[in-house]
């Protein structure tokens, strides 16, 4: 079904919306350099406003100028990617999820719910008739990919009506799950950072946002207390396996080496410690290894700090563990880690000691 421009403006992540606007690094229908033109001024302003709203109010608003609303979304993603800050990425994804909840609360029909669930999140969801108070049924598998993040006992599968492989949900519950799913998609998308700097006006927005970030960033970030430390329990299965192979001095294919190196650097592990991890390998050459690790850390060559490959790429290389069945639909290893760390961070103080943190110094 062809969607109206109003619908695309409200839900700019649905497939048809990307037909309107393709921002890529120099390819696609509109080039980033086109944004220097005066006709894009309003879209640029709205993109910056979306980010400022996320930082100031933790919620993105909905504005009624539909073209501006629609076109500013992918541009905002490009700007957040260029800023390259995990705190901003998470804050923005969560602020867009709140916008989505408000919009869905005002929807009259169930069509858009099912479209987002089945065509964007690729879930198996149905509208259910005469099953009040329930409105939607979601496959158990999809439910378990999202619901465990919510701490309230009401979300435990055991407390939900289940029939023929489906969990029955009220409209409010389904909205919450859909918003969480979209938040995850946006977070995953933002992990795929931009290489290099954005040109002209976009570059100026990036600089202004960086400045604002320095004021808005919480003094102690949620993940800060774990920064630079290795929390093996929080590692995605693929990275955990690569890491263990290195500790055991086993050979790893190039993509796996790149993935684990960039992963460790991105979670704040000291560069020297990452180099040491490789020196136990039979073919180790410390000078070359250091050069390569520094390159991945963005200290050499193009000065690009690399992030690990997406799950899709790791799957193509046959490096994903059991086709991601333990990963609850994540699309990026760093997203898996952040979600795990958040779960660990939420554990009560008494239980916290059960997490067997392994400081890197002891591992090496
Ligand atoms: S789904 Fe992603 S994070 Fe999980 S094992 Fe596969 S590649 Fe790693």
């Amino acid at each position: 079904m062809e969607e109206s421009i109003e619908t695309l403006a409200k839900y700019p992540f649905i497939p048809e919306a990307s037909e309107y606007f393709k921002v890529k690094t120099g390819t696609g229908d509109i080039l980033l350099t086109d944004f220097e033109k005066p006709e894009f001024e309003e879209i640029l302003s709205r993109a910056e406003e979306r980010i400022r709203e996320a930082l100031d109010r933790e919620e993105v608003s909905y504005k009624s100028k539909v073209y501006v609303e629609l076109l500013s979304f992918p541009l905002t993603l490009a700007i957040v990617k260029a800023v390259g800050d995990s705190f901003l990425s998470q804050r923005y994804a969560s602020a867009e999820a709140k916008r989505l909840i408000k919009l869905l609360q005002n929807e009259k029909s169930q069509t858009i719910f099912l479209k987002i669930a089945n065509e964007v999140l690729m879930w198996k969801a149905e509208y259910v008739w005469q099953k009040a108070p329930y409105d939607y049924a979601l496959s158990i598998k999809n439910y378990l990919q999202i619901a465990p993040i919510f701490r309230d006992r009401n979300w435990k599968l055991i407390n939900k009506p289940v029939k023929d492989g489906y969990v029955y949900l009220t409209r409010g519950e389904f909205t919450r799950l859909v918003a969480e799913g979209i938040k995850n998609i946006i977070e995953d998308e933002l992990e795929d950072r931009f290489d290099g700097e954005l040109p002209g006006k976009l570059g100026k927005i990036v600089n202004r946002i960086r400045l604002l970030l320095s004021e808005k960033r919480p003094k102690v970030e949620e993940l800060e207390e774990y920064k630079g430390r290795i929390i093996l329990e929080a590692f995605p299965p693929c990275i955990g396996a690569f890491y263990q192979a290195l500790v055991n001095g086993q050979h790893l294919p190039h993509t796996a080496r790149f993935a684990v190196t960039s992963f460790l650097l991105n979670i704040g592990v000291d560069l020297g410690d990452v180099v040491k991890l490789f020196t136990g390998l039979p073919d180790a050459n410390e000078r070359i290894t250091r050069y390569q690790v520094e390159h991945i850390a963005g200290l050499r060559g193009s000065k690009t700090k690399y992030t690990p490959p997406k799950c899709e790429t790791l799957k193509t290389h046959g490096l994903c563990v059991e086709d991601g069945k333990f990963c609850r639909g994540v699309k990026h290893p760093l997203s898996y880690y952040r979600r795990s760390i958040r779960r660990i961070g939420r554990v009560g103080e008494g239980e916290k000691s059960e997490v067997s943190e392994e400081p890197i110094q002891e591992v090496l």
Side-chain angles (χ1 to χ4, degrees):
M1 190 178 82
E2 201 161 296
E3 300 297 343
S4 68
I5 179 77
E6 285 77 17
T7 301
L8 299 182
K10 284 182 186 168
Y11 311 108
F13 41 77
I14 62 180
E16 292 91 328
S18 62
E19 294 305 312
Y20 276 82
F21 187 30
K22 291 172 184 162
V23 174
K24 306 232 192 262
T25 49
T27 59
D29 293 341
I30 301 176
L31 304 182
L32 288 175
T33 46
D34 288 339
F35 290 105
E36 298 305 308
K37 296 176 187 163
E39 59 263 37
F40 286 109
E41 197 62 54
E42 208 175 351
I43 296 165
L44 250 80
S45 299
R46 178 62 182 138
E48 182 169 356
E49 187 183 40
R50 282 179 109 115
I51 303 173
R52 287 180 178 271
E53 286 176 347
L55 286 171
D56 290 339
R57 305 169 24 205
E58 301 186 32
E59 182 173 337
V60 175
S61 64
Y62 174 67
K63 298 268 165 94
S64 52
K65 280 198 173 175
V66 288
Y67 281 98
V68 174
E69 202 63 3
L70 168 56
L71 299 182
S72 62
F73 176 70
L75 188 58
T76 310
L77 294 182
I79 294 168
V80 175
K81 284 181 185 194
V83 173
D85 182 280
S86 305
F87 167 71
L88 176 65
S89 299
Q90 286 163 36
R91 176 67 78 89
Y92 177 66
S94 138
E96 282 288 348
K98 286 186 188 158
R99 173 187 186 272
L100 173 60
I101 289 177
K102 283 220 169 130
L103 289 170
L104 287 176
Q105 281 168 345
N106 291 322
E107 286 292 345
K108 301 259 179 304
S109 98
Q110 78 280 7
T111 321
I112 191 67
F113 287 83
L114 294 178
K115 182 167 185 96
I116 298 173
N118 294 331
E119 293 179 30
V120 181
L121 296 166
M122 308 312 244
W123 290 348
K124 272 173 73 181
E126 291 169 9
Y127 184 66
V128 290
W129 303 88
Q130 298 173 332
K131 296 267 193 251
Y134 305 107
D135 296 293
Y136 295 93
L138 177 65
S139 84
I140 293 177
K141 178 177 168 221
N142 298 142
Y143 182 82
L144 291 175
Q145 285 171 344
I146 300 286
I149 198 85
F150 304 133
R151 295 179 69 204
D152 193 302
R153 342 190 27 254
N154 184 42
W155 288 101
K156 289 201 180 305
L157 190 57
I158 198 167
N159 295 324
K160 291 276 170 243
V162 172
K163 192 171 174 230
D164 298 332
Y166 283 83
V167 186
Y168 283 71
L169 299 157
T170 63
R171 181 181 155 116
E173 289 169 336
F174 193 62
T175 301
R176 183 102 191 268
L177 290 170
V178 164
E180 191 66 23
I182 292 298
K183 184 183 119 195
N184 291 345
I185 282 190
I186 295 175
E187 268 186 12
D188 288 339
E189 174 67 26
L190 294 173
E191 292 290 0
D192 194 14
R193 304 252 171 95
F194 234 70
D195 294 347
E197 295 293 319
L198 291 181
K201 291 178 184 169
L202 285 169
K204 286 189 181 138
I205 295 179
V206 168
N207 290 339
R208 286 199 292 272
I209 296 297
R210 284 193 177 132
L211 199 65
L212 182 65
L213 248 181
S214 61
E215 296 163 18
K216 297 285 179 185
R217 187 195 303 283
K219 293 287 170 277
V220 180
E221 264 190 56
E222 190 175 15
L223 306 184
E224 197 62 36
E225 67 171 296
Y226 299 102
K227 202 164 179 168
R229 296 189 285 168
I230 287 183
I231 313 290
L232 279 177
E233 283 79 357
F235 275 25
C238 53
I239 301 291
F242 307 154
Y243 177 78
Q244 207 51 57
L246 286 180
V247 170
N248 296 339
Q250 291 164 356
H251 175 77
L252 278 179
H254 172 76
T255 308
R257 286 181 189 221
F258 172 76
V260 69
T261 304
S262 51
F263 179 89
L264 292 172
L265 292 171
N266 274 277
I267 66 170
V269 175
D270 181 71
L271 188 144
D273 289 332
V274 179
V275 173
K276 273 194 246 163
L277 191 56
F278 284 89
T279 52
L281 295 178
D283 57 350
N285 175 318
E286 188 170 343
R287 192 179 56 80
I288 295 174
T289 301
R290 178 169 290 278
Y291 180 86
Q292 289 167 337
V293 173
E294 285 177 354
H295 193 86
I296 294 170
L299 303 176
R300 291 183 178 269
S302 63
K303 303 273 195 251
T304 301
K305 183 176 178 185
Y306 289 90
T307 47
K310 288 179 177 178
C311 297
E312 202 184 326
T313 310
L314 291 170
K315 282 178 186 166
T316 311
H317 287 266
L319 295 169
C320 174
V321 174
E322 301 215 24
D323 204 26
K325 86 172 187 192
F326 308 109
C327 297
R328 296 188 173 142
V330 300
K331 299 215 164 48
H332 198 282
L334 281 172
S335 301
Y336 181 105
Y337 188 71
R338 292 209 175 89
R339 283 172 213 169
S340 300
I341 286 287
R342 262 181 250 143
R343 265 198 294 278
I344 290 169
R346 282 196 203 112
V347 175
E349 283 304 310
E351 296 159 77
K352 220 170 189 172
S353 58
E354 286 174 17
V355 175
S356 65
E357 175 201 331
E358 212 165 344
I360 190 157
Q361 291 83 352
E362 287 172 24
V363 174
L364 298 172

